[in-house]
Amino acid sequence: MRYISADQIFSGSGYLPNDTVLALSNDGTFHETLNKDQVDELLIEHHKGIVCPGFINTHCHLELSHLKNKIDRLTGIVDFGLAVIRHRNAISSEEQKERMNLADKIMWDEGIVAVGDISNTELSASVKSSSSLYYHTFVELIALNPERAKSVFEQGIQILQKFTASGLVASFAPHAPYSASVQLIQEILNDCRANSLPTSIHNQESEAENEFFRDKHGDYLRLYNTLGIALDHFNPTGKSSLQTLASILNPDVKTLLVHNTFTKQNDLEFLKNLQPKLYWCLCPNANLYIENALPDVPMLLRNACAITLGTDSLASNNNLSIISEINTILNQQAQVPLEVLLEAATSTGAKFLGIDDRFGSLIPDRPCGINLIEGNSGNYSVKKLA
Ligand SMILES: [Zn+2]
């Protein structure tokens, strides 16, 4: 047994009393919480900092790991997306897999234990099946033309089966409201509901997305024009992107809204009745990289949104580190309590992925990973204790 105490111990949902000692088995698995008085003082390892369960990264794209430093900062989402399309197949798939393995290792070193990962191909399956991290793969589908919904979904099934055949958990995810038709999103939600699995969708990463839905204007017209995709079947709704999406979301399917950079209070009012199954993933480093904007985290908290954290990919981030995302929020929106972000990074992320019986909290005899957070607010670093 190892006995660990720290300045503070965060359980996944709150701080434990000051005299708490964690008993870990020799392989590092949390066993039980004890009071200091119950343990021989000489056996206790005391750490300066905060001890907490391993982190859950609910939004990553391992497939884009080879695009680190390849895409300019601050281009806005349309030019970022076009650059990803241009660069993503610039190196061989073997080299891409090498970069994915390195990214996987980075996440491990940064105290991440589980990942929700967006995949457009089956390329990451072998990386994930040999990883020490838990992966939930979201097979991402894209087709704005409703006539393509069926065929794109069929192709998606082929990809998804590659993951499940490797013993990995996978479900479908529409890329974004502006790139998936109502028909495709409904097809995905029906499948997720039938299999009791969560889904994920990029949401309001730019103001252009809202403009596109309100009156079919703005930078997305340039995107579709450049890609040669006709928009005859796309009708503006006079509402924001999220308010448009709200009418087709399935209240029985846990849905992760990713980014939420341009989500407004009136969107949240509009969604009030759907709240229980919605999770809100923040990827602040990517938002600063692409748009130089951040979601209004205090607004999301005032509205009791269930927040999770994500790193997005190395195409729009120079690290895959949940503690770095936490630092960014603390530095930019200092009124957000650390405790709230730790909960987002642990138990709420685990709940969204449906793995809260193994990860995100101190559950006896479950190897959730044990992190030590050191340093000062906005400048924290993480060390793996187990
Ligand atoms: Zn993303």
Side-chain angles (χ1 to χ4, degrees):
M1 278 295 166
R2 278 173 74 189
Y3 298 97
I4 287 178
S5 71
D7 297 344
Q8 285 180 293
I9 299 178
F10 184 81
S11 69
S13 53
Y15 291 111
L16 297 176
N18 274 339
D19 50 4
T20 303
V21 173
L22 303 184
L24 309 185
S25 58
N26 290 336
D27 68 356
T29 304
F30 168 72
H31 180 60
E32 62 180 334
T33 51
L34 298 166
N35 186 286
K36 254 183 190 141
D37 302 341
Q38 297 171 273
V39 187
D40 177 350
E41 209 176 323
L42 293 171
L43 295 177
I44 299 175
E45 296 168 33
H46 182 79
H47 295 277
K48 283 192 80 63
I50 306 164
V51 162
C52 70
F55 294 141
I56 317 295
N57 178 4
T58 56
H59 186 75
C60 185
H61 302 243
L62 263 193
E63 278 176 6
L64 305 181
S65 300
H66 60 293
L67 299 184
K68 190 178 179 193
N69 297 324
K70 289 277 184 280
I71 298 179
D72 291 339
R73 289 173 178 269
L74 308 177
T75 61
I77 187 65
V78 168
D79 287 302
F80 177 83
L82 289 169
V84 168
I85 293 169
R86 259 199 321 276
H87 289 287
R88 69 179 297 161
N89 291 317
I91 61 172
S92 72
S93 36
E94 279 317 303
E95 286 172 300
Q96 290 184 40
K97 279 198 234 176
E98 275 172 36
R99 303 299 183 86
M100 289 187 221
N101 273 318
L102 288 175
D104 176 81
K105 172 83 170 52
I106 291 172
M107 288 196 272
W108 173 255
D109 290 341
E110 289 291 327
I112 292 167
V113 292
V115 185
D117 187 65
I118 304 285
S119 300
N120 300 95
T121 73
E122 64 253 35
L123 209 54
S124 61
S126 59
V127 176
K128 289 168 180 167
S129 58
S130 61
S131 170
S132 306
L133 303 180
Y134 170 92
Y135 279 97
H136 181 116
T137 298
F138 292 104
V139 174
E140 185 176 75
L141 304 181
I142 301 176
L144 191 53
N145 182 345
E147 289 163 16
R148 295 190 59 230
K150 277 264 180 257
S151 65
V152 165
F153 190 77
E154 297 295 324
Q155 288 160 19
I157 290 172
Q158 305 296 317
I159 298 172
L160 184 130
Q161 284 171 347
K162 294 283 193 324
F163 288 95
T164 52
S166 305
L168 297 158
V169 177
S171 57
F172 293 110
H175 169 257
Y178 64 81
S179 59
S181 63
V182 171
Q183 287 79 350
L184 180 58
I185 295 175
Q186 280 170 336
E187 194 89 45
I188 290 170
L189 291 171
N190 289 341
D191 188 83
C192 289
R193 183 169 187 244
N195 293 297
S196 302
L197 289 169
T199 191
S200 169
I201 184 164
H202 294 92
N203 174 54
Q204 292 171 305
E205 197 171 351
S206 69
E207 190 51 41
E209 183 176 325
N210 287 327
E211 277 176 64
F212 186 58
F213 276 92
R214 272 194 208 107
D215 53 14
K216 204 174 176 178
H217 266 99
D219 220 16
Y220 278 104
L221 299 186
R222 184 168 67 84
L223 174 75
Y224 285 115
N225 191 31
T226 309
L227 296 174
I229 294 173
L231 290 175
D232 310 335
H233 45 266
F234 178 83
N235 296 312
T237 61
K239 294 188 286 193
S240 74
S241 164
L242 183 52
Q243 291 183 32
T244 306
L245 177 70
S247 61
I248 50 171
L249 285 176
N250 187 322
D252 293 329
V253 177
K254 282 189 280 185
T255 301
L256 187 71
L257 301 172
V258 180
H259 291 305
N260 315 304
T261 330
F262 292 85
T263 301
K264 306 278 168 22
Q265 180 64 36
N266 61 13
D267 294 322
L268 300 177
E269 305 287 340
F270 195 92
L271 281 167
K272 278 263 142 79
N273 298 332
L274 286 166
Q275 289 282 356
K277 289 281 186 176
L278 287 179
Y279 289 79
W280 304 74
C281 178
L282 309 176
C283 308
N285 288 345
N287 302 148
L288 293 178
Y289 191 108
I290 299 171
E291 295 277 344
N292 197 26
L294 283 179
D296 185 342
V297 184
M299 175 193 73
L300 295 172
L301 295 176
R302 278 198 305 278
N303 287 274
C305 296
I307 286 176
T308 72
L309 295 173
T311 58
D312 218 337
S313 76
L314 286 172
S316 56
N317 205 337
N318 51 23
N319 203 355
L320 299 176
S321 164
I322 290 296
I323 200 68
S324 167
E325 305 293 333
I326 288 176
N327 283 331
T328 298
I329 295 172
L330 293 174
N331 284 326
Q332 305 272 339
Q333 298 178 4
Q335 69 272 47
V336 179
L338 173 64
E339 192 174 350
V340 165
L341 298 174
L342 290 179
E343 188 170 359
T346 56
S347 61
T348 311
K351 266 182 215 136
F352 165 66
L353 291 175
I355 52 171
D356 46 324
D357 59 340
R358 306 154 61 176
F359 293 110
S361 300
L362 298 169
I363 304 168
D365 304 316
R366 296 295 166 106
C368 64
I370 302 288
N371 289 342
L372 172 67
I373 298 169
E374 299 174 299
N376 302 313
S377 183
N379 197 22
Y380 290 120
S381 61
V382 70
K383 192 190 277 178
K384 283 173 73 73
L385 292 184

